[in-house]
Amino acid sequence: MRRITSLLIVFCIAISFTSCSTDSMDEIYEDSTVLVIPDAKPIEIEILELINQHRISIGLNALENLKVIKGQAFSHTDYMVNINEVNHDNFYSRKNYLVNNVNALKVSENVAYGFSSASSVVNAWLNSDGHKRNIEGDFTDFEISAELGENNKWYFTNIFVKK
C-alpha cells in the first residue's frame, strides 16, 4: 500500500511540474539565472583591472566584460556564501548556459575565499599554476563576482569565456 501511495505522490508531482505555463523547464532556469546581475563593486572592478594589467604586461589581449558572465558568476558566488563553502559545484551548468547563450567556445573559472583585497586574491591566483593558466588563457571575455560571507570573508567567482 505504501508503494502505491508513493507512486501516486510522484505522479502528482510530475503532473504539476509539466503543467507550467512556459514551453520548457530550460526557460525557467535561464530566466532565473540571467535576472540577477548586480552592479560592480569596487573590489570586483579592481580585480578585473589587475587581471587585464597582468595579461597586457605579458603580451596578451585585455578581456572584455560581459554582463551574462557576471550573472553566472554572481549566482555561483551567492551559492557558495549560502553553503559557506568554496567550490566549483555545478560548473557544467554555468558552462552550458554560456555556450548556449553567448556562443562560448571555451569556459573556465577561478574561485577563492577569504582574501581581503583585490591584489591578494589576484596574486594568489597568479601563484597557482591552474588559476594562472585560466588568467593567461586564450579567452575573450570575463567577469567576476565578490560577495561577503560570514565573518566578513569574501567569496570570489571569476569566469573566463572564449567566443
Side-chain angles (χ1 to χ4, degrees):
M1 186 64 164
R2 274 187 146 178
R3 185 176 175 122
I4 292 172
T5 303
S6 296
L7 288 174
L8 185 58
I9 291 171
V10 169
F11 177 75
C12 290
I13 291 171
I15 292 296
S16 61
F17 279 124
T18 58
S19 64
C20 294
S21 62
T22 61
D23 293 335
S24 73
M25 292 303 284
D26 289 340
E27 287 181 23
I28 294 170
Y29 173 74
E30 289 173 17
D31 289 347
S32 66
T33 57
V34 174
L35 290 177
V36 181
I37 303 175
D39 291 334
K41 297 175 186 68
I43 192 169
E44 295 168 336
I45 295 167
E46 189 177 352
I47 290 168
L48 297 175
E49 289 173 351
L50 289 169
I51 289 172
N52 270 337
Q53 286 172 10
H54 173 77
R55 288 179 61 87
I56 291 167
S57 76
I58 61 171
L60 298 173
N61 62 301
L63 301 175
E64 298 294 322
N65 303 79
L66 192 58
K67 293 285 188 188
V68 175
I69 300 172
K70 175 76 168 188
Q72 292 297 300
F74 172 74
S75 175
H76 183 62
T77 306
D78 189 50
Y79 167 77
M80 291 190 302
V81 167
N82 286 332
I83 67 168
N84 197 27
E85 177 185 308
V86 65
N87 60 58
H88 292 281
D89 290 356
N90 307 308
F91 170 72
Y92 290 102
S93 292
R94 290 185 294 287
K95 178 183 176 183
N96 289 335
Y97 183 87
L98 294 167
V99 165
N100 293 326
N101 289 279
V102 298
N103 299 316
L105 302 172
K106 181 177 167 184
V107 179
S108 194
E109 76 180 11
N110 288 344
V111 296
Y113 165 75
F115 295 95
S116 58
S117 69
S119 60
S120 64
V121 71
V122 171
N123 286 334
W125 283 334
L126 289 172
N127 286 311
S128 163
D129 290 339
H131 295 102
K132 184 176 182 178
R133 269 192 303 277
N134 288 340
I135 289 172
E136 296 177 355
D138 182 20
F139 297 105
T140 56
D141 303 270
F142 72 154
E143 253 303 348
I144 187 143
S145 173
E147 297 297 324
L148 278 173
E150 291 182 18
N151 302 321
N152 287 327
K153 301 275 186 173
W154 286 98
Y155 286 81
F156 304 89
T157 303
N158 188 196
I159 299 178
F160 302 86
V161 168
K162 178 179 181 174
K163 293 195 308 180

